[in-house]
Amino acid sequence: FLSFTAEFCCGFFVILILGNFWFLGVLYLLWLYHDWDTPCAGGRRFQCVRNWTMWKYFREYFPIKLIKTSELSPKHNYLLGFHPHGVLVAGAFGNFCTGPNFKTLFPGITPYLHITPIWFGCPFFREYVMSAGMVSASKESVSYVLNNDGGGHASIIVIGGAEESLNAHPGSLTLNILKRKGFIKMALKHGAHLVPVFSFGENELFKQVANPRGSRLRNIQEKLQKIMGFALPLFHARGVFQYTFGLIPYRQPIHTVVGSPIPVKQNLNPTNEEIDQLHELYLQKLNKLFEEHKRNYGIPEQRSLIFE
């Protein structure tokens, strides 16, 4: 979804540069140079874009629901760990970048969805994603959001990243998280409370070509992901007028459950041991959140999360 839109925007920019309106392209390049750091400085959201009517239909298509399990006080800043990545990350986009659902459930909290920095190098596309409330996933960007002294800011990070999208098969419960501790360190440095978030149904939207670890396809995908910064899962779903084959996601309900916050005391220089302890606590809280809600969303009793 992001790749298609980015390609369209880049194509439009090339046409602009090569066409009769090349001077507009040059002006935009000057603007891009001037505005380059904005994605790392809170972005530039527009509520009118977040409230577009088409996002309402987008959320209702699956449908996408946001479930609250605990209060989040606007006196604190929060780092929300979103799981799993899936192919589309529909739950993260639908709940944190569109509509009033988050504001209604968590008044006084402003959400910022952090995405791969590479997307902000795409002409015009960067303006589009920033207008919806997306910002860079760089350390500088996360620090900017969590540095708000008055509280009320929430960084949403898809912890598994692009690598986890390669595990996005229907029924998969594998999360890439054991070696991902950077978000823990950021939470400690800024005293941001940690909140686990699990999005049930995220992996059910597409069928992906079999790519078990060690396979030739998986090795190629992982190498490309390291080079380009984003993964290329080979997936398919339904078409417009038939359900056999296409790129439109299946209509599978997505329930994004926001867990209870884990209080974090600010520690500007956390040790590896302190990071590991908080990481272990986060894993326990995430697993508990999943276990408490899995029955409500069709997960068999014997299924459990797998941490890699």
Side-chain angles (χ1 to χ4, degrees), residues 1-55:
F1 176 73
L2 286 178
S3 299
F4 175 79
T5 310
E7 289 171 4
F8 176 83
C9 291
C10 289
F12 176 74
F13 178 73
V14 171
I15 293 173
L16 195 65
I17 285 289
L18 298 179
N20 294 330
F21 297 96
W22 58 269
F23 60 93
L24 293 178
V26 173
L27 288 175
Y28 181 78
L29 284 176
L30 293 174
W31 162 255
L32 191 62
Y33 175 80
H34 170 75
D35 195 58
W36 189 255
D37 293 331
T38 299
C40 294
R44 185 173 47 249
R45 70 181 60 209
F46 291 103
Q47 198 59 39
C48 60
V49 175
R50 292 167 60 87
N51 290 335
W52 278 350
T53 301
M54 71 173 182
W55 300 137

Side-chain angles (χ1 to χ4, degrees), residues 93-148:
F93 178 75
N95 286 310
F96 304 121
C97 295
T98 74
N101 289 353
F102 186 86
K103 280 287 189 182
T104 300
L105 292 177
F106 303 102
I109 307 291
T110 302
Y112 296 82
L113 179 60
H114 296 269
I115 63 174
T116 306
I118 190 173
W119 297 118
F120 295 100
C122 299
F124 299 115
F125 179 73
R126 67 190 297 274
E127 323 300 338
Y128 165 65
V129 294
M130 278 197 292
S131 67
M134 286 180 261
V135 292
S136 172
S138 66
K139 293 180 180 178
E140 296 79 9
S141 178
V142 177
S143 291
Y144 184 93
V145 173
L146 298 181
N147 263 338
N148 184 37

Side-chain angles (χ1 to χ4, degrees), residues 210-268:
N211 60 342
R213 290 191 179 278
S215 65
R216 184 176 181 182
L217 174 59
R218 185 60 169 259
N219 290 336
I220 293 174
Q221 288 175 318
E222 289 177 346
K223 288 180 181 178
L224 289 174
Q225 187 263 321
K226 290 179 180 178
I227 294 171
M228 299 185 298
F230 58 91
L232 292 173
L234 299 180
F235 59 89
H236 66 88
R238 53 162 290 185
V240 178
F241 301 111
Q242 45 77 29
Y243 290 83
T244 306
F245 187 84
L247 295 179
I248 298 176
Y250 293 114
R251 296 192 70 176
Q252 296 289 337
I254 299 171
H255 295 90
T256 303
V257 185
V258 180
S260 301
I262 303 170
V264 177
K265 186 177 180 180
Q266 187 174 26
N267 183 347
L268 296 177

Side-chain angles (χ1 to χ4, degrees), residues 259-298:
S260 301
I262 303 170
V264 177
K265 186 177 180 180
Q266 187 174 26
N267 183 347
L268 296 177
N269 296 293
T271 63
N272 289 335
E273 182 180 359
E274 290 169 331
I275 292 173
D276 289 342
Q277 288 177 351
L278 184 56
H279 186 262
E280 181 60 32
L281 176 59
Y282 179 85
L283 293 181
Q284 294 174 10
K285 294 294 185 180
L286 173 60
N287 190 64
K288 180 181 178 182
L289 178 70
F290 173 80
E291 291 293 330
E292 288 178 347
H293 294 272
K294 66 180 183 181
R295 301 171 192 81
N296 298 332
Y297 307 115

